[in-house]
Amino acid sequence: MTQETIARLRISLNDIEPEIWRMVEMPVAGSLKMLHDVIQAAMGWQDYHLWHFEAGDRRYGMPNPEWPDRHLAAARNVKLGTLIDRGVRQLTYTYDMGDDWRHTVAVDAVGPGEHDTEYPRLIAGDRRCPPEDVGGLPGFELFLEAMSNPSHEEHEQLRQWYGGLFNPDDIDELAAKRAVAAIAIRRHAGKAAYEKSRVRH
């Protein structure tokens, strides 16, 4: 395995205090679709909803042939390194247009990765992301209040809806690291298969 260029990215969920954030290392050769997958895995989202990136006046996502949008470029066709080379150091990532979860993705550093290391990978983070379909920021605030107070009138109902207790301080780091590592393993396997096919020809 060769050394590759890596971007260290800090992903922060906007408008929430205390801050919910993750630090990941992402190959600059990876597409914005891969970055979407990494954010989903690192944050703990379930990839149930629509999403897009914004960088300056451009948007990148998953174009739908049934709903043409000439202002939306295909995220799978744009490499992170291409944006960095253009001087982009910050992107906005929006997930679930109903709940409207906006993330700031900041480029912290760019440089050579470690030899014999599979990327992307999760470096650090703090606090658990909101549950899917909780109702955006107002719904999440109500959810936290009710879940932290057993005498709250909606405590039992929300606990059943969520499926148990919710600890906002526990990001389940091992599960997040494994989910991001699974992307790296798939990427490495795909690159190996591609190289093998080139050798045959």
Side-chain angles (χ1 to χ4, degrees):
M1 194 187 313
T2 58
Q3 192 175 31
E4 58 183 333
T5 303
I6 299 303
R8 181 174 295 144
L9 306 174
R10 194 177 196 281
I11 304 153
S12 177
L13 191 52
N14 297 359
D15 303 320
I16 293 182
E17 291 293 339
E19 185 185 14
I20 299 171
W21 64 273
R22 305 289 185 267
M23 184 78 76
V24 302
E25 288 180 335
M26 167 88 183
V28 297
S31 70
L32 292 186
K33 169 60 170 66
M34 178 191 288
L35 179 55
H36 155 76
D37 294 337
V38 169
I39 294 172
Q40 290 285 312
M43 293 297 290
W45 298 117
Q46 302 298 315
D47 204 6
Y48 292 156
H49 300 283
L50 294 174
W51 54 273
H52 66 252
F53 289 97
E54 294 170 77
D57 59 353
R58 300 187 181 185
R59 289 191 306 125
Y60 308 89
M62 297 284 283
N64 185 336
E66 296 180 11
W67 301 92
D69 182 349
R70 63 187 180 89
H71 300 293
L72 184 69
R76 69 176 63 255
N77 296 335
V78 180
K79 295 188 183 304
L80 176 62
T82 301
L83 296 185
I84 291 174
D85 289 344
R86 288 182 193 155
V88 173
R89 288 296 180 270
Q90 184 170 295
L91 301 93
T92 299
Y93 170 76
T94 303
Y95 172 62
D96 184 353
M97 308 316 170
D99 280 5
D100 197 32
W101 297 116
R102 297 188 186 210
H103 309 64
T104 297
V105 182
V107 179
D108 188 58
V110 179
E114 297 175 13
H115 283 288
D116 298 325
T117 299
E118 294 179 4
Y119 293 96
R121 69 177 176 174
L122 174 66
I123 301 300
D126 196 23
R127 299 184 63 81
R128 185 179 290 265
C129 79
E132 298 277 353
D133 303 317
V134 76
L137 186 56
F140 185 47
E141 290 174 346
L142 171 64
F143 175 80
L144 288 176
E145 180 185 343
M147 291 293 274
S148 65
N149 181 6
S151 62
H152 192 285
E153 60 183 358
E154 296 193 41
H155 175 83
E156 195 55 41
Q157 178 185 345
L158 285 172
R159 181 174 171 173
Q160 288 181 12
W161 171 79
Y162 180 68
L165 296 174
F166 181 87
N167 182 353
D169 296 318
D170 178 17
I171 69 169
D172 198 353
E173 188 171 354
L174 181 58
K177 283 188 172 181
R178 283 177 173 166
V180 175
I183 298 169
I185 290 167
R186 287 196 304 271
R187 176 174 180 260
H188 178 65
K191 285 170 64 177
Y194 173 73
E195 291 299 327
K196 194 172 182 181
S197 71
R198 290 183 64 193
V199 170
R200 287 178 184 163
H201 298 88

